[in-house]
Each structure stands twice: as C-alpha cells, then as structure tokens.
Amino acid sequence: MGVADLPLLNQIKGRLGWLDERQRVIAQNVANSDTPGYAARDLAQPRDFAAALRGQGGPLQMTRTAPNHIAPAGPVARYASNDAPDSETTLDGNSVVVEEQMLKMAESRMAYDAAIGFYQKSMQMIRLAAKPPGR
C-alpha cells in the first residue's frame, strides 16, 4: 500500500474536491447575480460517517477484501447541487445575495485551509514514522 492509498489522505482529497466544486458553484452564483430568474445554488453537504455506513451515498464506499464479502453497490454521484435560495428574491426572480455568497466563499476558503493544514501535518507524521531510528 502506497502513501496515496491511505484512507485518511483519500478522505482529505475528497474534502478538497468538494470544497473546490463548492467554490465553482458559488462563483457561478456571483457571476449570475444580475441574471433575471436565476436561482442561487449550493452543494449539499457531504454525508456523515453514519449515513455512509447506512449506504446512503456518502463519500465512504465499502470494498471487498475477500471473495465471500458482499459486492459494493454501483457508482454514486459524487456531489449534488441543489437550489439554495438566499434570504431575498428580487422582483426579476433572481435569488442571489452577493453578501451571502461572499460569506459562503470565505467559509469554504477557511475549510480548505484547514484541510490543507491537516494534510500537511499528516504528511509530516508519515515522514517522521518512515525515518530510520536515530536520525
């Protein structure tokens, strides 16, 4: 098993992918803030661990480690984008509030920075564990 195959690093990579996709959706909302009839969108939060174990399409997928184990279900859509109306809708039907979108963008940025920090600390621990004794 290589370092890239560690479940912890795969989870961090998945979180970073979700945050990247959320930034893209928020940027689309801001770009369409003057488009009549445009409804603000957001990504659904990734499912929690318990939901993933119940098989409700969470980011964790079961794998077969022996031929007698039950086969995992087919592929699941990675992220679901849904309408997320902000606090107000203008007369032309646009529901994008730029201030709220900026708050969402800042929240995503902080979560992204935290995930990057966690990844860096994890890599430092792996490097420390891989060092020969006495060095």
Side-chain angles (χ1 to χ4, degrees), residues 50-88:
L53 288 180
R54 288 191 303 268
Q56 296 176 351
L60 299 174
Q61 298 297 323
M62 295 176 60
T63 58
R64 291 177 71 178
T65 55
N68 294 339
H69 291 173
I70 298 172
V76 177
R78 191 125 171 106
Y79 307 112
S81 175
N82 54 5
D83 286 341
D86 287 326
S87 61
E88 60 189 55

Side-chain angles (χ1 to χ4, degrees), residues 56-116:
Q56 296 176 351
L60 299 174
Q61 298 297 323
M62 295 176 60
T63 58
R64 291 177 71 178
T65 55
N68 294 339
H69 291 173
I70 298 172
V76 177
R78 191 125 171 106
Y79 307 112
S81 175
N82 54 5
D83 286 341
D86 287 326
S87 61
E88 60 189 55
T89 302
T90 59
L91 292 175
D92 66 0
N94 189 301
S95 67
V96 177
V97 179
V98 176
E99 292 83 4
E100 290 181 12
Q101 296 300 314
M102 292 297 110
L103 286 173
K104 289 178 184 180
M105 191 172 286
E107 175 187 283
S108 293
R109 176 58 193 217
M110 288 188 301
Y112 192 89
D113 289 343
I116 289 292

Side-chain angles (χ1 to χ4, degrees), residues 4-131:
D5 298 329
L6 293 174
L8 173 66
L9 297 180
N10 282 334
Q11 288 298 315
I12 294 172
K13 186 171 76 170
R15 176 71 174 165
L16 291 172
W18 182 84
L19 289 166
D20 181 50
E21 185 68 17
R22 185 170 193 224
Q23 287 285 62
R24 188 187 62 73
V25 170
I26 292 170
Q28 283 180 343
N29 288 344
V30 172
N32 288 297
S33 62
D34 290 331
T35 303
Y38 184 82
R41 301 190 61 77
D42 199 358
L43 291 185
Q45 287 286 339
R47 306 234 185 225
D48 63 352
F49 185 71
L53 288 180
R54 288 191 303 268
Q56 296 176 351
L60 299 174
Q61 298 297 323
M62 295 176 60
T63 58
R64 291 177 71 178
T65 55
N68 294 339
H69 291 173
I70 298 172
V76 177
R78 191 125 171 106
Y79 307 112
S81 175
N82 54 5
D83 286 341
D86 287 326
S87 61
E88 60 189 55
T89 302
T90 59
L91 292 175
D92 66 0
N94 189 301
S95 67
V96 177
V97 179
V98 176
E99 292 83 4
E100 290 181 12
Q101 296 300 314
M102 292 297 110
L103 286 173
K104 289 178 184 180
M105 191 172 286
E107 175 187 283
S108 293
R109 176 58 193 217
M110 288 188 301
Y112 192 89
D113 289 343
I116 289 292
F118 192 58
Y119 177 80
Q120 290 171 337
K121 289 294 181 183
S122 298
M123 292 304 293
Q124 287 175 357
M125 287 192 307
I126 291 170
R127 282 189 211 103
L128 181 65
K131 280 186 180 179

